[in-house]
Amino acid sequence: MPFPIPSDKIERRHLIDGEFCESSDNGTFKLSSPYSHEKIVDMCEATVEDTNRAVAAAKAAFPGWSITDPTVMGAHMKKLAELIKQSTNELAQLDAMSMGRPISSYFDAMMAASHFEHYAEAAYEGLGTTSLNTPGFVNMTFRQPIGPVAAIIPWNIPTLMFAMKLAAALAAGCTVVLKSSEKAPLTPAKLAGLSKEAGFPPGVINVLSGHGTPSGSTLSSHMDIRLVNFTGSTFTGRKIQAAAASSNLKKVILELGGKSPAIVFEDADVAQAAGATVGSMQLLMGQACIANSRVYVQESITDKFKEAFIANFKAAKKGDPLLPETQQGPQADEIQFERIKSFLQSASEGKGKLELGGNATQVDGQGFFIEPTVYSDVAEDERTQKEEVFGPFVNIYTFKTEEEAVAKANDTEYGLYASVFTKDISRALRVAKAFESGQVGINCTSPTFAADMPFGGYKGSGQGREGYGYSLDEYLEVKSVYVKIDPA
């Protein structure tokens, strides 16, 4: 079936200094559908020169934007939020085309719009303080924007990530250069056009498409960028941190991988726990750092839980992500598909028991599909237990005691999301406190989170926090000002 949006209607260029433009060397990369494998469009590939131009535009726009009246800032963001809502169907189709996200599970546009709506009022929250504690002085603090910043976003939820990275930065008075992922550049390019339509001044928002090298690495080491906000793999996060340290010691916010556990106690509602953890894994075909890829079940209910989990997990309808009845689309691209297959091979050679799936597959002879896969009793040191698979792959374990379950859940270098299912509130709170994780769900799991709560990870899952009331602080520097008063 033909794509619902033809290639000549798709924005494929960079937005730099308020204008769409081709790459400086006219370079492009081919974007293909992970379902049909057909070519969608040739996207512009950002060069070092393009990246430097975008940074220069952000730097030039910063002095004016940083002192813009908050009411004016808010008007632009409210207009952008409205345009995003109006474009919901097109944004859903673009993500389905580029990275296989089923339109049936597309909630990103409304959440993105709500982010811009919130931060449209948030510029007034960047308040300083005063102090009369020093005799003869009135002292105060200013909170001022850090400068031009870079945002490097992932491919799994690009619309929402566009909003999460930009809205707080813009409200703080920063200008932004955003680089999209080469796997899912269509929605960020569309959003770039909407930001232009919303009336943001040239250079305030700049959007590039392309690979991590050269554009992402150039942003990470650029001397005129004062902060990098990155969501993606831990491997790349380390490289960005190193580049930031070796250049101008720019601030770095990182939201990285996860190996998110769920603990299900024998007093839990088994059907509810199974449904919630399956829903977590079905989100984005398992391509979510907050997905429950490790589930620990108390031994007395293990068989009952596995039966319910497997029945739910295998029920998802695979197919064309552009069809409303599809619940499981293909993996994002061939690279991701082959990576998950390597984990399937590792698992088949390990000590665990295959309970479901275990194979790559196709729908109507096409698509990068992976069967929903469940293993039990996998050794704690096996690859599928230690590394992030980022696909529909779950390890289920049996435990006897609370202490055993918590110890195993925390035995990872990741710490992004964890869940506990029990009717005992005291136990639930004990376990929540014991989890080494930035988010904890009690009788719920990902993608449950609240916009007014901080989002971020422990350990190798990152540093910094995002969310209403938290993101703004990341983009503001604090300055102490001392005012000497003449004695009476």
Side-chain angles (χ1 to χ4, degrees):
M1 93 185 246
F3 294 124
I5 307 172
S7 60
D8 61 349
K9 300 296 183 182
I10 294 174
E11 184 53 69
R12 50 177 290 279
R13 300 167 295 171
H14 314 297
L15 179 69
I16 301 176
D17 203 17
E19 299 297 332
F20 281 105
C21 59
E22 301 281 340
S23 300
S24 59
D25 63 354
N26 293 315
T28 62
F29 63 94
K30 184 172 78 169
L31 184 68
S32 299
S33 162
Y35 176 70
S36 68
H37 311 313
E38 296 175 29
K39 175 181 169 180
I40 301 170
V41 71
D42 288 318
M43 293 295 298
C44 289
E45 173 84 60
T47 64
V48 172
E49 181 181 340
D50 298 323
T51 308
N52 287 337
R53 282 182 54 226
V55 174
K59 183 180 180 180
F62 175 72
W65 183 253
S66 65
I67 60 170
T68 296
D69 187 300
T71 304
V72 176
M73 288 183 175
H76 292 308
M77 285 196 267
K78 288 176 181 176
K79 177 63 174 176
L80 179 54
E82 186 59 34
L83 292 170
I84 291 172
K85 290 178 185 178
Q86 294 171 9
S87 303
T88 296
N89 289 341
E90 183 177 352
L91 291 166
Q93 290 172 341
L94 289 170
D95 271 356
M97 290 164 59
S98 64
M99 53 77 65
R101 170 81 174 271
I103 61 172
S104 63
S105 63
Y106 190 79
F107 53 79
D108 301 38
M110 297 308 292
M111 293 185 68
S114 72
H115 265 74
F116 283 111
E117 287 171 340
H118 170 82
Y119 282 103
E121 310 292 342
Y124 287 105
E125 297 173 11
L127 304 175
T129 61
T130 59
S131 171
L132 300 176
N133 290 331
T134 304
F137 284 83
V138 175
N139 300 328
M140 63 191 75
T141 60
F142 295 165
R143 296 170 73 204
Q144 296 175 289
I146 197 170
V149 303
I152 303 175
I153 64 173
W155 45 264
N156 55 349
I157 47 172
T159 300
L160 181 54
M161 278 290 143
F162 185 99
M164 289 180 69
K165 305 302 186 196
L166 260 67
L170 295 171
C174 297
T175 52
V176 185
V177 180
L178 180 141
K179 191 199 81 67
S180 63
S181 168
E182 71 279 5
K183 297 182 193 292
L186 299 184
T187 47
K190 172 65 179 178
L191 293 164
L194 296 182
S195 72
K196 182 175 167 65
E197 187 178 344
F200 285 91
V204 172
I205 298 174
N206 305 274
V207 180
L208 306 172
S209 57
H211 291 73
T213 302
S215 184
S217 56
T218 300
L219 289 171
S220 301
S221 60
H222 204 292
M223 295 298 291
D224 289 331
I225 291 293
R226 295 298 167 188
L227 178 151
V228 176
N229 191 337
F230 169 76
T231 295
S233 71
T234 302
F235 174 80
T236 303
R238 289 193 180 101
K239 293 175 69 175
I240 290 172
Q241 185 92 305
S246 63
S247 53
N248 59 352
L249 284 172
K250 60 177 64 65
K251 186 176 182 179
V252 180
I253 303 169
L254 300 172
E255 195 272 281
L256 306 175
K259 200 70 181 163
S260 302
I263 297 176
V264 184
F265 286 97
E266 60 189 358
D267 66 336
D269 182 327
V270 172
Q272 189 262 336
T277 48
V278 166
S280 170
M281 284 306 303
Q282 285 178 334
L283 178 69
L284 305 174
M285 294 72 72
Q287 297 166 144
C289 48
I290 55 177
N292 285 141
S293 55
R294 297 181 298 140
V295 182
Y296 297 89
V297 186
Q298 202 153 22
E299 59 181 357
S300 63
I301 60 166
T302 299
D303 291 342
K304 183 179 179 182
F305 178 87
K306 280 197 290 190
E307 182 181 356
F309 186 97
I310 289 170
N312 275 283
F313 203 21
K314 69 182 182 181
K317 180 176 173 57
K318 303 180 189 70
D320 185 342
L322 287 162
L323 297 177
E325 62 267 25
T326 296
Q327 297 169 305
Q328 180 183 340
Q331 307 307 133
D333 67 356
E334 186 173 9
I335 295 173
Q336 182 64 15
F337 178 66
E338 292 296 332
R339 183 175 184 276
I340 298 170
K341 284 171 61 178
S342 76
F343 280 100
L344 296 178
Q345 181 64 33
S346 295
S348 70
E349 297 167 355
K351 299 177 181 179
K353 176 185 176 183
L354 178 64
E355 304 275 0
L356 177 69
N359 298 298
T361 186
Q362 291 186 318
V363 175
D364 297 328
Q366 58 189 359
F368 296 125
F369 287 90
I370 298 290
E371 292 177 343
T373 297
V374 177
Y375 271 84
S376 62
D377 303 321
V378 173
E380 290 287 342
D381 61 351
E382 286 189 25
R383 183 186 175 209
T384 62
Q385 179 68 352
K386 292 299 184 185
E387 297 181 31
E388 187 175 37
V389 179
F390 227 57
F393 187 108
V394 182
N395 287 332
I396 295 179
Y397 295 85
T398 298
F399 72 89
K400 294 183 179 180
T401 68
E402 177 182 321
E403 293 75 19
E404 175 195 359
V406 170
K408 288 182 176 181
N410 286 337
D411 186 19
T412 173
E413 280 304 305
Y414 295 108
L416 191 57
Y417 204 113
S419 296
V420 55
F421 292 86
T422 178
K423 294 175 183 176
D424 183 336
I425 188 61
S426 295
R427 176 163 58 193
L429 292 173
R430 275 198 314 271
V431 172
K433 184 178 178 181
F435 275 140
E436 297 169 356
S437 179
Q439 282 76 230
V440 173
I442 295 178
N443 293 323
C444 62
T445 187
S446 63
T448 300
F449 69 96
D452 63 341
M453 298 294 286
F455 185 89
Y458 280 26
K459 301 187 291 189
S461 287
Q463 60 189 30
R465 291 295 183 268
E466 296 182 286
Y468 302 164
Y470 297 87
S471 294
L472 200 67
D473 289 341
E474 301 281 6
Y475 295 98
L476 295 170
E477 292 279 29
V478 180
K479 179 185 293 181
S480 296
V481 179
Y482 308 98
V483 182
K484 191 176 189 319
I485 302 172
D486 289 336

